Amino acid sequence: FLWGPGLLITPVLDPDTSVVSAYVPDAVWYDYETGNKYSPRKTQIDMNLPADKIGLHLRGGYIYPTQNPANTTVYSRKNPMGLIIALDDNQKAKGDLFWDDGESRSSISSGNFIFYEFSVESNQLHMNATNAIYNDPNNLVFDNIKILGLPQSPSSVVVKNNGMETSHRQFTYDAALKIFHVTNLQLQLGQSYTVDWNSIVNDIERIDCHPDPDATQENCRNRSCIWQDPVSPGAPACFYPLDSSNGYSVGEIIRTDTGLSADLNIYSPALRFYPLSPAINHLRVNVTFHKNDMLQFKIFDPNNERYEVPVPLNIPSIPQSTSEDRLYDAEIKENPFRIQIRRKSTNTTIWDSGLPGFTFSDMFIQISTRLPSRYMYGFGESEPTSFRRDLNWQTWGMFAKDQPPGNKLNSYGVHPYYMCLEEDGNAHGVLLLNSNAQDITFQPTPALTYRTIGGILDFYVVLGPTPEIVVQEYTDLIGRPVLPAYWSLGFQLCRYGYENDIEVANLYEDMKAAKIPYDVQYTDIDYMLRQLDFTLSPKFQGLPDLINRMKDEGMRFIIILDPAISGNETETYLPFSRGVQENVFITWPNESEIVWAKVWPDYPNVIVNNSLDWDTQVELYRAYAAMPDFFKNSTAAWWKREIREYYHNPTDKTKSIHFDGLWIDMNEPSSFVHGTVGGQCRDRELNYPPYMPALESRNMGLSHKTLCMESQQHLPNGKPVRHYDVHNLYGWSHTKPTYDALLNVTGERGVIITRSTYPSSGKWAGHWLGDNTSAWDQLFKSIIGMLDFSLFGISYTGADICGFFKETTYEMCARWMQLGAFYPFSRNHNSIGMKRQDPVSFDEAFKNISRNVLNTRYTLLPYLYTLMFEAHAYGSTVVRPMLHEFVEDRITWDIYKQFLWGPALLISPVLDEGHRSVYAYIPKARWYDYYTGKDIKIKGRWYEFPAPLEHINLHLRGGYIIPWQEPANTTHYSRQNFMGLTVALDENGNAQGQLFWDDGVTIDAYEKDQYFLASFNASQTTLESSIIKNKYTSGLNLGYINIYGIGSSAVTSVDFQVNGAPQNGARFESSTINQVLKINLTDISVSLNNTIKVTWQTTS
């Protein structure tokens, strides 16, 4: 119900509930307690109201008089008064106040009262005392004014009374909540006042008009922009006027059931900032309502074909949305031109490009949008210092580069995608399908500004509404993550700098002797002859036999391949000669001459002097290298042939390298010279474009550490494209041919690990986080990296455990082994010249730490594999941010030093040197200690858990059932062991879970229905399984069931059934202290491809 027209009151009226189904009328509403604008309107919602809260909401458009409270009104009437001004959509409000002595019966008839009429319009409050006969004995004053929903921070406040003006300086502005609070006013009750606040272009509203380096006042004004020194660090001094028109007029807006379209025509010469990048005078904008949860808007030149990204997306051939079921409304608006997208259920605007500065020229395109909150995640690849992006004037470049991870440094991959949490916890995602060099400015408005130097603007928006559903919708658009081979979930070892195959063999034997779980061994470029692909160094002549022996013992092997192919060989080198014959290499425009790079291959017949500086070594020793154009079908066929002949050597079978996976590196593409050998690119404008995005070594141009931008490539249909446009797709184009070749050659699923990625790379490959450093901060940054790539649709990720560059320490490596045991891609790898850091290079205590945590990992592999399946089938995340499961808890929105496996396993590692405890947040659920099964009785708060050096804290969430298996030294043997189920009951005694199982290597096992899938459900004292798919039955022997949270009563009996028939022989034990029931089924033959039912009885 309402108090008058403005205060909406939503009480809890039922016992034992904290959620009320409430209707929110169609108006602007503010939370009374926080002043936060309430997004839902004209809808029924579930309002979360714990026992200490009643739903109170202020309607926009009204002014509410207040007074500081006291124990009785006798005393409260002596306290200062105030006003809460709740602005409506038009920044207006009105209200009134009646005041008398509170007791007299004749106040109104005698006129002995005070009456105010309040109104707000155009940043001015009028306090008009229409009757002021009553003289209050307490000399009351209006002490403060709080304005809700003010979009910009005022620069000054002026109070007017009886013709006198006074400037007032005691005020604050909350930019996030948009609340303006004026204090210590001392406005006498009964007198009339006017209060003005002057909203200037606040720093946070500025859109940078001169993103190039070295802006000057003269250059700024030449662009018809405003120059004013900012107050906030990082804010631009040169910015667009707020009333900037965006330069384009909007023609007729055509509306259909499936979208909108309009033509745009330029009329502002101010957009011509870059003489070498002419503005495009006529544009078209198309908005397409593809699905109820996904739309696209595209701005392009309708008269001239421009480059568009050749990455296929999963878009319906005919839009499938309906006006009734769409989660969004979209509009094209005029004056200024803008696109607005609004979530229908809450009326939240999630995209609004009405900010100034929209530009569309040949080599500079810019568009800005407001964000609905400051909780934005995504954009990569870089190395941010928190999962949530810092919106305090940060500009990130995106251009694939051989750049080790670093904050705001453009690195190996490009992902122009973000997810944003709205203030009410709803989420949406936005992809810009553009592969040109670009940068993004994040600012505290909150807003984003995109700048790209080519192509078109092609945006895709998914509406969620939960963060996890956003990822599912995004991966439905770009392609679901690949399902890796089961063995690839095992622990892996590599280093750059193995001397020979004997060193690798000795490491393998030492790991076996230490009984440390380990599935995959690598060799880096050391195994090659002079770092040439598809060759074998004399020092590694025993590698083929070693690989065969390791595989016979249940191991797997992965080799590295780089794209660069040497062109300086004095003897026949088939990969190059056949590549030339098939015309697979990148050339100069309209020529057959190769654009030569230099990467790892050395010249033949040279002795490398490693004491020389790097540039000298490159000049003296590195061979000319050709880069394959992987867009071409002929290149894919050539690449597959080279891979096949390395796997099955056609001339000497003893030299066949029977690898199981491929690790592709240096595919940004990387070069050790800039542009080409000799450094003479032929088109300066492409390599030093009119606007150079904010990239690492910005002053060096786009060809820094890669090819010349005018280099020519060809799409599969034969269409020529400039490297300028497709550079960011090189790793993407490299990945699928490699994946296809691996599957074709080995006949198994295997795994591809790639360094450079782009949206949809996850369909074929996993990704390691690059050449990191042995430093403590790299531990938590690796978590952020995995969380980022979870958003990007690449599930199989991890960092080099213990660090690649520099030397690790004992403690750091021990903690990193614990953390890395929970990377989906779990590999210890370091660089040449550094001391060893594999688990058997340390003492027995370290081996024990490694063995124990990896045994835990291997125990949980059935759960991890099921998560990988769910990612592949449904697009779910594997490494999951806490906010994905607990978005209603805003504390989780900023947590990135803990993470989840799926919904059920919480990992809280130690990330700091010398710490023997971890301060971890436990979300609002029932949680059990993973190791003991005991309910920790903590929820919704931070807690300091003991964490001695040998321990990592793991907790299971109540309400979930996770499958597991007895570990072994490799997955080949662990897959033959008994399986188990751990049932973690929630507060209501319920739990559910799934198990996916197949042979772990069959290609397209899910798509071919060659798998097993079962669901498990527990309720009170019963556990049952249901079989969803039963097309694979090997290795499903159930040996153990652990049930957590059974209560304090002792279990007296356990009944066990298979396919409805009772089974004898189940042994059990229960703990009334930990409240755990353990059931042992190893004495009876139970296969999970039969349905099971377990019932237990207690003394109560």
Side-chain angles (χ1 to χ4, degrees), residues 2 55 131 152 167 216 234 276 439 648 717 852 868 896 941:
L2 293 158
N131 193 85
Q152 300 167 15
S167 180
T216 67
L276 296 178
D439 60 34
H648 295 295
N717 63 6
N852 290 340
M868 299 300 292
Y896 53 87
R941 63 187 177 95

Side-chain angles (χ1 to χ4, degrees), residues 722-855:
R722 303 173 301 185
H723 191 71
Y724 176 88
D725 294 311
V726 298
H727 170 87
N728 286 335
L729 300 180
Y730 192 84
W732 177 89
S733 70
H734 185 199
T735 302
K736 186 178 187 299
T738 308
Y739 177 74
D740 290 342
L742 177 71
L743 270 56
N744 178 270
V745 168
T746 67
E748 293 185 347
R749 200 184 308 156
V751 68
I752 301 294
I753 303 297
T754 181
R755 189 164 80 170
S756 185
T757 59
Y758 188 81
S760 79
S761 291
K763 292 194 296 185
W764 311 298
H767 171 67
W768 93 105
L769 297 175
D771 296 341
N772 62 359
T773 301
S774 294
W776 279 97
D777 70 333
Q778 294 290 300
L779 276 75
F780 83 81
K781 288 177 180 176
S782 73
I783 299 175
I784 297 169
M786 291 193 297
L787 297 179
D788 281 346
F789 276 87
S790 287
L791 298 186
F792 300 154
I794 301 179
S795 301
Y796 188 62
T797 56
D800 284 347
I801 296 170
C802 300
F804 181 74
F805 290 121
K806 299 186 178 180
E807 293 191 348
T808 190
T809 65
Y810 184 100
E811 181 186 4
M812 182 196 302
C813 198
R815 290 303 193 190
W816 213 328
M817 283 294 296
Q818 291 169 346
L819 169 60
F822 296 93
Y823 295 163
F825 171 58
S826 181
R827 182 184 72 168
N828 183 312
H829 177 48
N830 72 325
S831 184
I832 192 168
M834 306 300 154
K835 68 181 181 182
R836 285 174 55 185
Q837 61 187 35
D838 51 81
V840 291
S841 65
F842 296 93
D843 62 11
E844 286 301 316
F846 192 99
K847 294 176 188 176
N848 290 337
I849 290 170
S850 301
R851 183 187 308 110
N852 290 340
V853 75
L854 289 173
N855 274 331

Side-chain angles (χ1 to χ4, degrees), residues 421-570:
L421 285 180
E422 298 146 39
E423 289 293 349
D424 56 8
N426 283 320
H428 65 275
V430 178
L431 167 68
L432 170 59
L433 190 66
N434 181 292
S435 62
N436 289 87
Q438 56 195 271
D439 60 34
I440 315 289
T441 294
F442 311 147
Q443 64 186 69
T445 315
L448 300 176
T449 296
Y450 293 85
R451 302 180 197 91
T452 182
I453 61 171
I456 65 170
L457 294 176
D458 192 7
F459 286 95
Y460 297 81
V461 183
V462 291
L463 272 290
T466 69
E468 188 67 9
I469 292 175
V470 166
V471 176
Q472 292 169 7
E473 292 166 349
Y474 180 56
T475 56
D476 184 48
L477 175 67
I478 65 170
R480 303 293 198 203
V482 67
L483 179 63
Y486 191 90
W487 55 260
S488 72
L489 302 183
F491 180 61
Q492 309 179 27
L493 276 180
C494 182
R495 77 170 284 149
Y496 171 33
Y498 290 132
E499 276 293 319
N500 48 45
D501 55 76
I502 296 173
E503 182 179 357
V504 178
N506 290 340
L507 171 63
Y508 171 55
E509 294 300 328
D510 289 346
M511 287 289 287
K512 281 198 302 183
K515 299 187 183 304
I516 296 174
Y518 155 57
D519 261 82
V520 184
Q521 179 62 52
Y522 287 68
T523 45
D524 207 317
I525 54 176
D526 320 281
Y527 80 93
M528 302 175 184
L529 174 66
R530 294 184 284 107
Q531 298 83 244
L532 272 68
D533 280 354
F534 309 114
T535 64
L536 192 63
S537 165
K539 295 182 178 181
F540 284 82
Q541 290 301 304
L543 188 62
D545 287 339
L546 174 61
I547 291 174
N548 292 337
R549 176 168 69 88
M550 293 174 71
K551 292 182 68 167
D552 288 342
E553 296 177 6
M555 289 286 292
R556 300 287 182 155
F557 209 92
I558 292 177
I559 61 169
I560 191 171
L561 288 176
D562 293 336
I565 301 297
S566 172
N568 284 127
E569 297 310 299
T570 55

Side-chain angles (χ1 to χ4, degrees), residues 231-269:
V231 175
S232 306
C238 180
F239 55 95
Y240 293 93
L242 270 184
D243 59 355
S244 176
S245 62
N246 275 346
Y248 286 86
S249 62
V250 181
E252 180 186 3
I253 299 172
I254 300 172
R255 294 175 171 84
T256 69
D257 290 340
T258 59
L260 308 166
S261 66
D263 287 333
L264 309 178
N265 295 294
I266 198 167
Y267 64 83
S268 173

Side-chain angles (χ1 to χ4, degrees), residues 691 734 824 1055:
Y691 174 72
H734 185 199
D1055 297 322

Side-chain angles (χ1 to χ4, degrees), residues 387 787 881-883 891-898 921 942:
F387 182 38
L787 297 179
M882 201 183 291
L883 68 88
I891 293 176
T892 66
W893 297 13
D894 279 311
I895 288 178
Y896 53 87
K897 294 186 177 182
Q898 300 167 258
Y921 186 71
W942 294 89

Side-chain angles (χ1 to χ4, degrees), residues 115-220:
F115 190 81
Y116 272 99
E117 291 179 350
F118 305 118
S119 65
V120 168
E121 188 172 359
S122 301
N123 295 332
Q124 190 174 71
L125 166 65
H126 294 279
M127 303 173 61
N128 186 18
T130 60
N131 193 85
I133 304 300
Y134 176 67
N135 186 20
D136 192 277
N138 298 306
N139 295 317
L140 292 180
V141 296
F142 291 95
D143 176 69
N144 72 94
I145 298 171
K146 184 181 291 186
I147 306 172
L148 311 181
L150 194 65
Q152 300 167 15
S153 174
S155 60
S156 63
V157 174
V158 175
V159 178
K160 301 176 184 178
N161 172 242
N162 293 327
M164 299 290 292
E165 286 191 12
T166 58
S167 180
H168 190 79
R169 298 188 177 278
Q170 291 182 279
F171 55 85
T172 59
Y173 181 69
D174 187 322
L177 295 178
K178 301 194 183 305
I179 297 174
F180 184 54
H181 197 188
V182 187
T183 55
N184 295 323
L185 278 167
Q186 304 298 307
L187 307 182
Q188 194 70 38
L189 180 67
Q191 295 190 32
S192 296
Y193 296 90
T194 300
V195 181
D196 288 290
W197 51 92
N198 177 28
S199 289
I200 64 166
V201 180
N202 186 266
D203 281 1
I204 67 170
E205 291 290 325
R206 298 182 179 189
I207 302 296
D208 195 348
C209 186
H210 201 295
D212 321 65
D214 305 320
T216 67
Q217 186 169 348
E218 181 181 1
N219 290 341
C220 179

